[in-house]
Amino acid sequence: MNDKAVGQVGALASRSPMGLVTAGDDGDRGHTVSRLLGRMRHSAFQGRKLGEAFEVWQRMIDGDGLICLGLAGSLASAGLAPLITWLVDRGYVDLVASTSANVTEDLLEARGARFFQVEPEHVDDAELWRQGFYRFYDHVVGAADYDAMEDFTRGFFESLAARWPSPTLPGVRFMHEFGRWLDGQGLGTTIAATCFRQRVPLFVPAAPDGPLAEGYRTARAKGPVVDFFADYDVALRIMARYMPPGPGTSAVFLGGGVPKDFIQITATSVKAIRGDAAPSPHLAAIQITTDNTVFGGLGGASVASECISWGKEAVDGLNVMLFADVTIALPLLCQGLLERYGPTHARRARAAIRADLDEVLDA
C-alpha cells in the first residue's frame, strides 16, 4: 500500500468493542463508567442526556415491555457490530430494525477483511480508487474484499431458492434465513446470525440498499419473492400484543432514518386498527443522533417533542434525545450496563417475550 497516496494509514489495532464488554472486567476497577454515567445524569447539556439515557435503558431492561432497536448510520464498518450482538445476546433488545448495510457489512471483518484508518482531510479519493480502496469517511477497506463479500451473499440466495417451498416469504423471515445461513457458514458472530440464534426478529425494510442487492443480482437462482409489506403486518401483530393495555413497548434508536420510522409508525397503525381515540405510543424512547431537526430530517425529530404530535411517543413517556456520536455514546452505555448488571445477568422478561415472539413469527 502506498502510504503517500492513502494518507496517514495504519492497520486498525484490535478495535473490537467487545473489549469493552468482556466478562471478568466488569467491576474490578470499581464500576467506574456506571458511576460516571450516574453522576452525569445530574450534569447539563448532552452529558446530562447521556446519563438520562443510561437511566432509562435500565428501566427498560428491568421492565416487562418489548425493547426495539433501530440501527442506522455506518455502525458495522465502524466496528460497533459486536456491541449490537452483545445487546441481542443479553436480551437487552427484543426486536431489531436496521439498514441493510449494518447487517451485512459486519461480514467484512468476520471474513478476514482488514480496515485501515485515513485522515479524511488529507486523503486523495481518486488515488484510493486507483489503488483499490473504498472509503467510509476516516477508514477504508479493500475494494476486492468488499466486492468478494457482496459476491459471497450470492450463495445465500441460491441456497434459499433451493430449499424454500413457497413463492414468497416475509422480509423478517428472509433475514432469519439469512442469519441461519451465516451461522451455518461459521459466521455466527454477525448481527443476522445472532438474531437468528436468539430468535430476535430482524426487520430490514430496505434490504436491497446494500450488499445483498449485488448478491441477488449475481445469484444463478433467485428464489422466493420477498414480501416487505408482510413485514409490517408481522410488526403490527407484535406491537399490538405489547402496546397498552399490554406491558408496553420502548425503543432505542441509533441514528434515525427508515429503521426509526418503521418502529415508530407502528404506533399510529395499532391505534388505527383498534379504532378508538386512545393513542398507542411507545412508552419510552432513547435516540442517539447528530441530526438537526431544523433541516426537516426525521432523524433529528425529537422523540421528546415532534414525535409526540403523531402519537408515536408518549406525552408522559421516558423520552431522551441525546445529540451525540453513536461511536462515543454506545460503548459508554454498554460498559455501564455491563457494570450495572454483571456478566451473567439474565433479563427477567426475556423468556416470556421470546415465547410470545416465537408464536407470532411461527404463525
Side-chain angles (χ1 to χ4, degrees):
M1 161 181 251
N2 186 319
D3 287 341
K4 181 179 179 181
V6 179
Q8 295 182 11
V9 180
L12 287 179
S14 181
R15 68 167 190 185
S16 170
M18 284 301 287
L20 295 169
V21 286
T22 302
D25 189 29
D26 62 298
D28 296 338
R29 301 180 182 87
H31 289 199
T32 55
V33 173
S34 59
R35 288 180 179 178
L36 174 64
L37 291 171
R39 291 195 299 270
M40 290 174 72
R41 164 68 178 83
H42 303 287
S43 176
F45 312 125
Q46 299 314 304
R48 169 187 170 182
K49 290 301 177 182
L50 182 62
E52 288 180 0
F54 181 54
E55 181 181 284
V56 169
W57 206 334
Q58 291 175 69
R59 294 183 67 168
M60 292 178 184
I61 291 168
D62 294 338
D64 296 321
L66 185 83
I67 305 175
C68 307
L69 178 68
L71 302 177
S74 191
L75 304 185
S77 76
L80 296 189
L83 284 182
I84 307 304
T85 59
W86 182 79
L87 291 168
V88 172
D89 277 330
R90 300 270 293 199
Y92 293 171
V93 295
D94 305 303
L95 178 151
V96 178
S98 176
T99 59
S100 183
N102 276 321
V103 293
T104 51
E105 289 178 348
D106 60 340
L107 282 168
L108 287 163
E109 287 182 289
R111 299 184 70 241
R114 297 178 67 198
F115 279 87
F116 301 89
Q117 292 178 319
V118 298
E119 292 300 329
E121 293 83 4
H122 305 294
V123 71
D124 184 337
D125 286 292
E127 188 62 27
L128 285 179
W129 169 257
R130 284 190 289 271
Q131 294 200 21
F133 290 95
Y134 295 149
R135 180 160 77 97
F136 304 82
Y137 181 60
D138 63 353
H139 53 289
V140 300
V141 68
D145 287 329
Y146 196 98
D147 295 347
M149 178 269 291
E150 290 184 311
D151 189 59
F152 171 74
T153 65
R154 176 182 66 186
F156 163 63
F157 288 97
E158 294 171 352
S159 170
L160 187 66
R163 59 188 171 80
W164 193 258
S166 304
T168 64
L169 82 169
V172 66
R173 187 55 188 258
F174 171 80
M175 294 310 301
H176 182 78
E177 295 302 319
F178 181 54
R180 184 200 305 274
W181 182 77
L182 290 177
D183 203 50
Q185 298 290 317
L187 297 166
T189 61
T190 57
I191 294 172
T194 304
C195 288
F196 158 72
R197 287 195 311 277
Q198 298 295 350
R199 297 285 291 175
V200 168
L202 174 57
F203 294 91
V204 184
D209 184 23
L212 286 171
E214 189 66 11
Y216 176 81
R217 183 188 69 81
T218 59
R220 291 185 295 270
K222 304 297 188 185
V225 174
V226 182
D227 186 349
F228 290 106
F229 283 102
D231 264 22
Y232 197 58
D233 185 48
V234 173
L236 291 180
R237 291 203 300 272
I238 292 172
M239 298 298 184
R241 293 169 83 107
Y242 281 87
M243 286 174 170
T249 58
S250 59
V252 177
F253 301 114
L254 305 181
V258 171
K260 177 188 176 185
D261 204 45
F262 182 86
I263 292 171
Q264 282 195 325
I265 203 171
T266 57
T268 63
S269 292
V270 168
K271 177 187 179 300
I273 291 168
R274 291 175 175 174
D276 58 31
S280 306
H282 302 291
L283 299 183
I286 300 165
Q287 184 176 1
I288 307 172
T289 184
T290 54
D291 289 342
N292 194 316
T293 192
V294 301
F295 300 110
L298 291 178
S302 175
V303 296
S305 57
E306 183 173 328
C307 298
I308 293 172
S309 75
W310 293 83
K312 297 174 180 178
E313 306 295 345
V315 175
D316 56 351
L318 301 172
N319 303 322
V320 180
M321 194 72 179
L322 170 58
F323 289 98
D325 188 328
V326 174
T327 64
I328 298 172
L330 186 63
L332 290 171
L333 290 170
C334 288
Q335 179 68 22
L337 292 175
L338 175 68
E339 292 177 0
R340 166 66 177 81
Y341 291 104
T344 60
H345 176 250
R347 186 181 170 213
R348 182 190 64 216
R350 184 181 193 184
I353 290 174
R354 180 182 288 184
D356 245 2
L357 296 186
D358 280 349
E359 182 179 329
V360 174
L361 294 173
D362 290 343

